[in-house]
Amino acid sequence: MSYDEDLSRNPIFQRLESKFPTLLAEAPFKSFLFCIPKNAIAQEIDIQDGDILNYVLKPLNSSPESGIQSYQTLTKKRVEVRGRNLHLKQGFPEARIARILFEETFYNIEDKSYQVLCVDQPFEGKPTSQVILQPEELLDPNECYKFLTVGGGQNIIGIENYIQMELSNFLHLSRFRQGVSLRHMLDMVSAVITRLVMICLKYSAIHRKYCEDKSYIDILRLAVENVVYFEIYPKLFKVVCGLVSKEDGELNKVTRNLAHIEATDLEIKSQFCFNFPKAKRELAKMTSLRTPYQKLWCMHETFQILSQPTPHSNEPMNADDILPLLVLLIIHSDIACWYGNISFMENFYLSPLDKEKYKYCISSVEAAVEFLRSGNLKIDRFRKALFIQNEGTQVTQKNTTTECSIDNFFELIYQDNFSKIQDTLDSLQNSHLKELCHPLCTCDRCQTHLATAHSHRNVGAVTLCSCDDWGRGPLHIAALVGNEKVMELLLNYGAQPISQDYHGSSPLHMACQKGHIKATMLLVDRGAPTNLQDNSGNTPLHLASLYGHDACVKALVFQSPARKLNPYNEKGDTPLHIAARWGYEDIVILLLESGASWEARNKDKEVPKDCAQNSAIQTVFKDYIFRTRGADDMLYAADYSKRMTLPSLKRSSTFSSPMGFRRSNNVFRTTTSLQIKKNHMIEREMNLVFDAISTGKENLVREMMGWEKTDMTCSIDTESSCELNNSTCNGVCHPLCKCIKCTAEQNTETGLTIAMASKSGQTFLHMACLHGNYSLSKLFIIKGADVNTRTYAHKHTPLHLAAQYNHSGVVKLLIENGAEIHAKDVNGCTPLHYSATNGHTDSALSLLDNGASPNENDIRNNIPLHNAAKWGHTVMVECLLEHGSLVDKYNADSLMPIQITQSDEVITILESYQNKQKRVSARRNSLIDSLNTESDITSSMNYIPVSPVSVHDNIKTVIPDPPIEDLRPYSKSIFTIPQLTSKTKVEAEVASTYLTAGPTTSLT
Amino acid sequence: MAERLSLEYKVVLLGEGCVGKTSIFLRYTEDKFSEKHDVTLQAAFRTKKLTLSGKRVSLHIWDTAGQEKFHAIAPIYYRDSRGAILVYDITDANSFDRVKIWVKELRRMCGSDLVLAIVGNKTDMERDRHVQEQNAIEYAGQVGAKHFHCSAKLNKGIEELFLDLTRRLISSQGESNYNARSPTRPQPSLDIVDDTPEEKRNSCC
């Protein structure tokens, strides 16, 4: 079909028109068929008028079944049509085969039509040597070179080298990279093709050929085009894909999630599926092909295979059938860049040959791809998998069993019939005990009851452990459906999130595969293992990455330390490989930022970057690697400058330090990119630990710290005995010890240690004390945490925090373990000051009972009583007074507690106490007086204000409030709502969100 | 030598599934000379060459998937097309309603230049007719389309349908506006290539 010419300019046809008008007029009625040799031949051969009748065919009775149609020329010679070839038979001087180039329908003035065929051989005389090269023969680039070398009929030596040289120059000069527009690339490519065609035409042999046959130029162009694309493809294609990477990512997400679709789901008639595997094999070649022509040809072949008649039916296939087949084919193909391929084929196939035909190919593929991406295709695979296979049996069973079978139960979960599920679960737990006289009763009635209950159980009642034919339990199904309410219920009833089905999938696998984010979070929260591998070695993270659920990836990544982000599956792929391969840019970024390794190699020795199909993803990797390396270079520069003693640059090294580790000063000089990465990781993991502490997840904390499961089983008390001995050598019995505990300790690749502190100097113990987590605090102390570490800016010890948030148990624990009870922070406040300020009597009492002095001064000479009085904590005031606090202590502003309070109650308490004291002292004084001379009672009374209320009115505005400033880093809310101390829990939450805001924002 | 370029038109066949689009398509383009196995997309795409009152015309005929669920992707098929054949089944009133939807959509997306033909297929089942002939013809007149009846089974009316469509395509295009290939996407380098050899030939021959 590629050959075309204007038959009205063909000399033979012109002769026919002028000499035999009657023949043409008769043609529509007599079904004449005119065979015209193509123009180039017709020019050469000399045909007599009589001979022209040889080229007019008349149909004979034919048998279309055999595919052969017989004709007779008007000179009674026999011609057979087989396929697209004319076989010249009896009557002709030699048996010859002429190919039909194209056929054309002519309409005469009366709108009657007759057919004209254009053939590539004359029927008589010398056969032509002109062979029209079919474009298909140029599929292989080597053939193209061969064509260019010898196609002109003369051996052109060196043309191949010349072209390759041109192309390498071209590649050298033109940069195909992310961000170059399609139009720009297209112009660059078409310019080089034009140039090369021009060069080829300079060779006289090729030019002569062109003069003989105009259609030669199309073939030449195609050959050059193929050669060019073959050379530049590696650079060009990924950039073309990069332009549509978003679309490809979306499409891949859809196709991955539809991976288990079948032909019946798309209403494809079964007889058309016969050719499907073959077509799939053909299509699989697509990725290795390099020129648009090859790719188009591959698509075209695939179409052809799909539409081949099958042994099961002779029904012709039409567009209605092809499109669904194509959709299915795209889902099952492992091609990750359909949009890239379409764009490449559509825009970069420049040759005009068969363009319309290929356009149809592309449009069909595009239609199928668009159809998929629009998300209109939703197949309820789950439901089918679950129920269709049972449908037959269910019908019969339904009548016989009223008991709740596993299928019915799954159906309930599927329908989200919450109350009924709960009933079922309730009945599970109690049914066989409820009706007994006593759980241990063995009377006849109870025995029979039990017996029947057990026999019923055999019939079909469900338990939380019962599973279907695939080994899936109720929790699996709920996770598959994504019904987190039911999941929570099941978990509360004791379902195990660790159970695996026959494929090795845990409920977490299913939730991640289906992208149910809430279900995922619930399972992770309930301790479902995130590193469990299914039969093909995939962890939930692999699945979430494969199916493109970035929310699930986020949930999984957030909860796991960086060392767990690089699990290998069967093929050695890490989640990062998978995400890169399918073009999920968001997930790639997420994984990289969370510390997944970009250097991990799979079994094909590919790093994740090699898996990337387009330049957009590659750019993400490049940027990331550059950033880590770039920081490294910067540091080297800084380090270098330091050695060169350039004081102005000295700061930059410390400035660029990613975090303010206390130890980093000496570590810093040897910093490598690895170190930076590690610091970054450590920071991230510390934040995770902080987060875990604030939510009280002890197991997670242990896991993160590398105190593995063996510890978990033994109680803290037993642990304490052995651990305390070890704490001296940092938790390891011996540097080379390989006991379980020690290997766990050594395995912490990231190296979180108990002594680590955040940027502000907070240790894990600080955090645990802040949240009043007794067991964690104890754990940390056992593991060797220093109870008297201080934060950098405010110099808070853990005891300050525990006192401030009223965790009396933790206060006691700290004091028992040697915390300084009178530790002063940057404002000179002791823990008791904080208790007093916040009115936390519990913590104050535990401090006081353990020997805290109530009369310690802060930097402004306030004693705790000042603070308690100022914020109007009556109970606290009483408590302090009881423990011997000085009622008439002056602070730096020469004010006594009574002068800075606003609460009448406190005033009365203080006054009555003062009076009592006065009385006591008066009595004592009088006693002394009676013994000594009258002295300075009056002088001591001078300072007592005449009217406390008026004084305090005056002073209100000048009260300095150092405690307020102190509290800022821990809670903003404290100085705004100091009265609401009963809501410490709320504050703690506020504080925790405030503290953990860092890692969350960096992740989102 | 200035070769006469042929006129090329893209024509889409639209209509609900099972109205016989494909039968019409196959009947018209029936290619006696193609091998059995060489069906090469023939099932859904064929090019027909015609010479009509001295003009060469290539009709690129695209068959499309008619199922309702694929409706949204139809623009991919009918973009750039010059003519559309909307097929309905005279025994099925729904299929005629679908045609009306198509007409609205095509007029909106492709403008008024698009040459439309509305075709009632299956005239061999005249006794089951559910679409009133008068209505259909009137409707076609309103939207500037031409109405045809045909029977793919009996091979009636198909030749006339395409002949008329081609005529109207040619007249809508106008003599002056010979548009060889793809009207929207210009051939980037075809012209340049054509020029170069022309000069060369003059110099050396």
Side-chain angles (χ1 to χ4, degrees), chain A residues 560-574:
Chain A
S560 52
R563 71 195 143 93
K564 295 206 169 159
L565 294 181
N566 301 314
Y568 293 105
N569 68 7
E570 242 175 10
K571 293 176 186 158
D573 285 337
T574 67

Side-chain angles (χ1 to χ4, degrees), chain A residues 725-745:
Chain A
N725 305 335
N726 291 341
S727 62
T728 44
C729 63
N730 211 9
V732 182
C733 319
H734 180 272
L736 297 176
C737 174
K738 288 285 172 205
C739 76
I740 305 165
K741 215 180 294 168
C742 294
T743 42
E745 197 85 24

Side-chain angles (χ1 to χ4, degrees), chain A residues 83 104-105 107 111 300 320, chain B residues 31 33 40 51 66 79 159 167:
Chain A
E104 192 161 328
T105 310
Y107 287 89
D111 281 351
H300 177 253
D320 289 356
Chain B
D31 189 351
F33 312 105
T40 329
T51 296
R79 67 181 172 205
E159 192 86 33
R167 284 247 161 73

Side-chain angles (χ1 to χ4, degrees), chain A residues 21-72:
Chain A
T22 46
L23 214 56
L24 286 177
E26 279 177 2
F29 308 103
K30 296 197 173 169
S31 309
F32 286 153
L33 198 60
F34 302 94
C35 298
I36 310 293
K38 66 171 185 161
N39 198 10
I41 300 166
Q43 304 272 8
E44 282 177 7
I45 54 172
D46 182 32
I47 294 180
Q48 302 302 315
D49 285 353
D51 292 341
I52 258 184
L53 295 180
N54 279 331
Y55 293 91
V56 183
L57 305 183
K58 215 174 77 178
L60 291 173
N61 293 334
S62 61
S63 54
E65 288 80 22
S66 61
I68 303 167
Q69 281 166 306
S70 300
Y71 291 88
Q72 203 174 33

Side-chain angles (χ1 to χ4, degrees), chain A residues 905-974:
Chain A
E905 265 181 87
V906 174
I907 291 171
T908 25
I909 293 168
L910 286 171
E911 267 178 346
S912 70
Y913 189 80
Q914 269 177 343
N915 291 336
K916 204 166 88 187
Q917 248 189 354
K918 239 184 282 171
R919 253 179 281 134
V920 171
S921 67
R923 202 179 305 152
R924 197 178 57 201
N925 284 347
S926 67
L927 209 67
I928 293 164
D929 284 348
S930 66
L931 294 171
N932 302 331
T933 51
E934 258 188 5
S935 60
D936 40 7
I937 294 170
T938 41
S939 64
S940 70
M941 296 293 281
N942 271 346
Y943 291 100
I944 296 173
V946 188
S947 153
V949 182
S950 65
V951 168
H952 126 245
D953 275 348
N954 294 336
I955 281 161
K956 206 161 75 179
T957 47
V958 262
I959 297 174
D961 35 11
I964 295 172
E965 294 295 331
D966 295 346
L967 300 169
R968 183 160 298 174
Y970 295 104
S971 167
K972 288 182 216 164
S973 55
I974 285 196

Side-chain angles (χ1 to χ4, degrees), chain A residues 843-888:
Chain A
S843 60
L845 277 172
S846 27
L847 283 167
L848 291 166
D849 291 347
N850 283 290
S853 154
N855 293 323
E856 285 290 322
N857 290 335
D858 72 0
I859 209 165
R860 301 195 61 83
N861 280 350
N862 285 311
I863 60 169
L865 189 59
H866 279 98
N867 296 10
K870 177 170 188 254
W871 298 107
H873 302 304
T874 48
V875 187
M876 179 57 79
V877 170
E878 279 172 343
C879 164
L880 284 168
L881 289 172
E882 268 168 39
H883 281 83
S885 186
L886 295 171
V887 74
D888 47 2

Side-chain angles (χ1 to χ4, degrees), chain B residues 146-157:
Chain B
K146 200 151 180 190
H147 188 271
F148 290 92
H149 272 120
C150 72
S151 165
K153 197 175 172 188
L154 308 173
N155 197 3
K156 270 188 189 156

Side-chain angles (χ1 to χ4, degrees), chain A residues 444-461:
Chain A
D444 286 351
R445 201 182 65 83
C446 292
Q447 285 290 347
T448 47
H449 187 79
L450 268 180
T452 50
H454 282 302
S455 66
H456 263 296
R457 214 144 286 275
N458 291 338
V459 177

